[in-house]
Amino acid sequence: MQKGKASLLFEHPAYITAMASIAGKKEGEGPLGQQMDMIEQDPMFGASNWEQAESAMQKQTADLALEKGGIHRRDIRYLFAGDLLGQLIATSFGTVDLEIPLFGLYGACSTMGEAMSLGSMCIDAGHADQVLAMASSHYATAEKQFRFPLAYGNQRPQCAAWTVTGCGAVVLSAKGSENQVRVRGITTGKMVDLGTKDSMNMGAAMAPAAWDTIMQNFEDFGVDESWYDQVITGDLGEVGQKILLDFMKSKGHDLSEKHMDCGLMIFDKEKQDTHSGGSGCGCAAVTLCCHILPRLLDGTWHRILFVPTGALLSTVSYNEGQSIPCIAHAVILECGGDRTK
Amino acid sequence: MQKGKASLLFEHPAYITAMASIAGKKEGEGPLGQQMDMIEQDPMFGASNWEQAESAMQKQTADLALEKGGIHRRDIRYLFAGDLLGQLIATSFGTVDLEIPLFGLYGACSTMGEAMSLGSMCIDAGHADQVLAMASSHYATAEKQFRFPLAYGNQRPQCAAWTVTGCGAVVLSAKGSENQVRVRGITTGKMVDLGTKDSMNMGAAMAPAAWDTIMQNFEDFGVDESWYDQVITGDLGEVGQKILLDFMKSKGHDLSEKHMDCGLMIFDKEKQDTHSGGSGCGCAAVTLCCHILPRLLDGTWHRILFVPTGALLSTVSYNEGQSIPCIAHAVILECGGDRTK
């Protein structure tokens, strides 16, 4: 059902029937390490270069999600997936062996939200019985793509984030039970560009996009923060979180007690020297699969708004002096009986 | 309705209620020039660099499609769009002003097929009344992204294609009539990689993906080439066309009288020195909007299979010696009364 300007409320919500998270050594040493399915100690994932490493990680995560769900890949009708690299090479090479019809997506670090949105739409419509939604990032491929060679050892400002090496994958299914997490609705983001130009401060660039999508979600569903147990953004980090909370406050919403950010959960800032927090498609995807979904399943939360945020810049646009357009895609996740009736 | 392994037959097909094509000077001088909505003589589209030029072209094309259809942008619920550039910057920057919820897509030159597929799924499901599907490429941004600086003047082998400067956009709508083109069904491609490594011969790399999707379409719908008036691929070019026809023949399908390729239609090989043909997301998108849809509307054809093909390589994967994984997304387009009953 269409709700408001940019939201859908699903009549046939997709159930998350399987999930998997694989991450790197540093992420494994962070606060969520114990909750991840697998920590790979080798940053190369057994491959011969960084990009193939990320592809291998995607393949392993997809395989693990299917294995955990006892699902054969032939029973997955569509794959919605993406990564941060130019021309989506981590996904393209990582998913060849799956032989699943693929919709390649680019939403920067919002990709997991985009994949779950399209996947849920597909399930709600009856276009598929089961789909896989997946997103990944790798510290080394991202640094190579967007910043400096690792060996150069450049200094990073305190507002910079640390790209997560990790991949998260969920199976969305038409069949499920009240005890499984369901995608109740979505709010699809539009491009938001307030003119921020500092590529080392993505949190500041993305916060207005998160704010825009969350406000749109509140408006479209006629709700406010009280409807959610938590509003969880993707990778705003410390700087972006502060801006988001300020922006929300300016519109009369106090999110301070209800807001979490995957970028602030996945690393221990003091011990891990990750400055503003974690980032990358993998940040929200891994945190979703290893921490958020389990908290919904164990009843800690009943309903949350998951809002991965993406900064759609490239080194070309950055070097041409352009600003950073951003986007955020929100997904309403619920578990347990419907408490709104 | 799900059909076979990878196809959908729509109960509520999306109608193409508006379309627009804008292209560059060279494309305007080609065989389809007279049919394009607008030829921009300035390759910079009034902008200060190539990437902004492509963004400006996207914005103009979207605006023109809406104008031609008499549709306000606020009545478009979703935008499905993409381009060839790293991190989709042509799309990200080009669509900010539209303020339409965006699903950013990357399918290389198959993007128009991917956008129309997802857009039609969305309409069929009732998730939207109207969506916009759009894809663009620009010769200069693509050369800069994938090959050599233009000023270097590198020599191109005869199997190389020429990236089209152009953008095509269609409005897909839940409401329409028999006299409008409708998306009857889709077949979603999977990644196909037969090991081709020559980035100057994309046609050879993509032909197996086109073959895979067309064969899947035939199987899923229980049809063969006789069901279509034309099977039209995106940008296989001369080399790729020959391979596709050979592959089809090996499975007992003679497509020689029914196959067209947008890359072979948009340029005059002899006069325009474009070697194997045109390529890029814009090639299939522009040819669709300026030539294919009008031929369906005027009754020349009743039903065609539109199969944009994409090569998902990047300079990083190429320079690391990797092969070129490819994908093709097929869209069944029909106009006029249903002749299959």
Side-chain angles (χ1 to χ4, degrees):
Chain A
M1 194 170 81
Q2 293 180 32
K3 291 283 276 184
K5 264 192 203 169
S7 301
L8 294 173
L9 179 70
F10 295 125
E11 199 175 334
H12 307 286
Y15 293 90
I16 298 176
T17 53
M19 67 204 85
S21 55
I22 296 183
K25 184 166 174 281
K26 188 181 181 84
E27 291 70 23
E29 291 162 356
L32 306 182
Q34 295 296 323
Q35 302 167 47
M36 295 165 186
D37 286 316
M38 207 183 105
I39 310 297
E40 174 59 61
Q41 299 297 320
D42 172 17
M44 297 295 274
F45 285 74
S48 57
N49 60 53
W50 298 122
E51 291 73 24
Q52 286 179 28
E54 189 173 344
S55 291
M57 179 171 63
Q58 276 212 6
K59 175 69 168 57
Q60 287 174 28
T61 311
D63 285 345
L64 183 59
L66 297 179
E67 191 191 314
K68 284 176 70 181
I71 301 157
H72 193 281
R73 62 180 171 78
R74 277 196 297 268
D75 297 322
I76 298 289
R77 196 166 175 88
Y78 297 112
L79 172 60
F80 294 88
D83 59 79
L84 291 178
L85 306 183
Q87 291 76 43
L88 289 195
I89 52 170
T91 303
S92 306
F93 288 91
T95 62
V96 170
D97 293 341
L98 292 172
E99 296 186 343
I100 300 171
L102 168 72
F103 289 110
L105 310 177
Y106 190 79
C109 308
S110 75
T111 301
M112 196 60 180
E114 184 180 358
M116 290 173 73
S117 296
L118 287 167
S120 309
M121 289 164 72
C122 194
I123 296 289
D124 178 57
H127 291 148
D129 297 321
Q130 292 187 110
V131 305
L132 192 64
M134 177 165 69
S136 75
S137 54
H138 189 299
Y139 176 74
T141 59
E143 288 296 304
K144 178 169 156 184
Q145 174 81 96
F146 295 100
R147 298 180 191 98
F148 297 97
L150 292 185
Y152 175 66
N154 72 302
Q155 202 174 355
R156 306 154 62 87
Q158 288 299 319
C159 58
W162 187 281
T163 305
V164 165
T165 297
C167 181
V170 295
V171 174
L172 297 167
S173 174
K175 286 183 191 152
S177 76
E178 240 179 44
N179 300 323
Q180 286 171 314
V181 177
R182 58 188 177 272
V183 181
R184 172 130 182 208
I186 59 170
T187 301
T188 304
K190 57 179 193 281
M191 299 300 315
V192 173
D193 185 352
L194 295 196
T196 303
K197 291 191 173 187
D198 184 355
S199 73
M200 287 293 190
N201 189 353
M202 304 280 220
M206 295 188 293
W211 173 68
D212 188 85
T213 299
I214 295 168
M215 289 301 296
Q216 190 67 55
N217 176 273
F218 286 1
E219 188 188 316
D220 286 353
F221 288 93
V223 299
D224 62 16
E225 58 277 14
S226 66
W227 202 50
Y228 298 107
D229 293 315
Q230 292 289 330
V231 174
I232 307 178
T233 48
D235 54 353
L236 295 183
E238 212 170 60
V239 176
Q241 181 184 47
K242 188 172 181 324
I243 297 172
L244 173 65
L245 295 181
D246 284 352
F247 272 42
M248 292 301 299
K249 206 167 185 180
S250 75
K251 295 288 178 186
H253 295 279
D254 180 5
L255 222 60
S256 57
E257 299 295 312
K258 293 234 170 153
H259 181 253
M260 297 171 80
D261 182 73
C262 301
L264 291 171
M265 290 190 263
I266 202 163
F267 291 125
D268 182 324
K269 188 198 164 179
E270 304 307 325
K271 291 186 193 152
Q272 296 190 288
D273 197 27
T274 46
H275 299 0
S276 190
S279 65
C281 299
C283 178
V286 165
T287 305
L288 174 78
C289 294
C290 82
H291 183 74
I292 300 172
L293 294 175
R295 292 300 80 73
L296 283 158
L297 288 168
D298 72 13
T300 307
W301 304 319
H302 166 59
R303 182 189 301 117
I304 65 129
L305 189 65
F306 177 57
V307 195
T309 48
L312 287 103
L313 83 171
S314 79
T315 47
V316 173
S317 66
Y318 171 71
N319 287 325
E320 286 173 352
Q322 296 242 60
S323 53
I324 307 174
C326 295
I327 199 163
H329 295 298
V331 179
I332 303 172
L333 298 174
E334 273 185 3
C335 192
D338 190 348
R339 300 182 199 163
T340 56
K341 277 175 187 165
Chain B
M1 195 171 83
Q2 294 181 32
K3 291 283 277 184
K5 265 193 205 169
S7 301
L8 294 173
L9 180 70
F10 295 126
E11 199 176 331
H12 307 286
Y15 293 90
I16 297 176
T17 53
M19 67 204 86
S21 56
I22 296 184
K25 184 166 174 280
K26 188 180 180 87
E27 290 70 24
E29 291 163 357
L32 306 182
Q34 295 295 322
Q35 302 168 47
M36 294 166 187
D37 286 315
M38 207 184 104
I39 309 297
E40 174 59 61
Q41 299 297 319
D42 172 17
M44 297 293 274
F45 285 73
S48 58
N49 60 53
W50 297 123
E51 290 75 23
Q52 286 178 27
E54 188 173 344
S55 291
M57 179 170 66
Q58 275 212 7
K59 175 68 169 56
Q60 286 173 29
T61 311
D63 285 344
L64 184 59
L66 296 178
E67 190 190 316
K68 285 177 70 181
I71 300 158
H72 193 281
R73 64 180 168 78
R74 278 196 296 268
D75 297 323
I76 298 290
R77 195 166 175 89
Y78 297 112
L79 172 60
F80 295 88
D83 58 78
L84 290 180
L85 305 183
Q87 291 75 44
L88 290 196
I89 54 170
T91 303
S92 306
F93 288 91
T95 61
V96 170
D97 293 341
L98 291 172
E99 297 186 340
I100 300 173
L102 168 71
F103 289 110
L105 310 177
Y106 190 80
C109 308
S110 75
T111 301
M112 195 61 179
E114 184 180 357
M116 292 174 72
S117 296
L118 287 168
S120 309
M121 287 163 73
C122 193
I123 296 289
D124 177 58
H127 291 150
D129 296 323
Q130 291 187 111
V131 305
L132 192 64
M134 176 164 70
S136 75
S137 54
H138 190 298
Y139 175 74
T141 59
E143 288 297 304
K144 178 170 156 182
Q145 173 82 95
F146 295 101
R147 298 179 190 99
F148 298 97
L150 292 184
Y152 175 67
N154 71 303
Q155 201 173 356
R156 306 153 62 86
Q158 288 298 318
C159 57
W162 188 281
T163 305
V164 164
T165 297
C167 181
V170 297
V171 174
L172 297 168
S173 175
K175 286 183 191 152
S177 75
E178 239 178 47
N179 300 324
Q180 287 173 313
V181 177
R182 59 188 176 273
V183 181
R184 172 131 184 206
I186 59 170
T187 302
T188 303
K190 58 180 194 280
M191 298 302 312
V192 174
D193 185 353
L194 294 197
T196 304
K197 290 192 174 187
D198 184 356
S199 72
M200 288 292 190
N201 188 354
M202 304 279 219
M206 294 188 292
W211 173 68
D212 187 85
T213 299
I214 296 168
M215 289 302 296
Q216 189 67 55
N217 177 273
F218 287 2
E219 188 189 315
D220 286 351
F221 288 93
V223 300
D224 62 15
E225 58 277 15
S226 65
W227 202 50
Y228 298 107
D229 293 315
Q230 291 290 330
V231 173
I232 307 179
T233 48
D235 53 354
L236 295 183
E238 212 170 62
V239 176
Q241 180 184 47
K242 188 172 180 321
I243 297 172
L244 173 65
L245 295 181
D246 283 352
F247 272 43
M248 292 300 299
K249 206 167 186 180
S250 75
K251 296 288 179 186
H253 295 278
D254 181 4
L255 223 60
S256 57
E257 299 295 312
K258 292 236 170 152
H259 181 252
M260 297 172 79
D261 182 73
C262 300
L264 291 170
M265 289 190 263
I266 202 163
F267 290 124
D268 182 323
K269 186 196 165 179
E270 304 305 326
K271 291 184 193 153
Q272 295 190 286
D273 197 27
T274 45
H275 299 1
S276 189
S279 65
C281 298
C283 178
V286 165
T287 305
L288 174 79
C289 294
C290 82
H291 183 75
I292 299 171
L293 294 175
R295 291 303 78 72
L296 283 157
L297 288 168
D298 73 11
T300 307
W301 304 318
H302 166 59
R303 181 188 303 117
I304 66 128
L305 189 65
F306 177 57
V307 195
T309 48
L312 287 103
L313 82 170
S314 79
T315 47
V316 174
S317 67
Y318 172 70
N319 287 324
E320 287 172 351
Q322 295 243 59
S323 54
I324 307 174
C326 295
I327 199 162
H329 295 297
V331 179
I332 303 172
L333 298 173
E334 274 186 1
C335 191
D338 190 349
R339 299 183 198 163
T340 55
K341 278 173 184 165

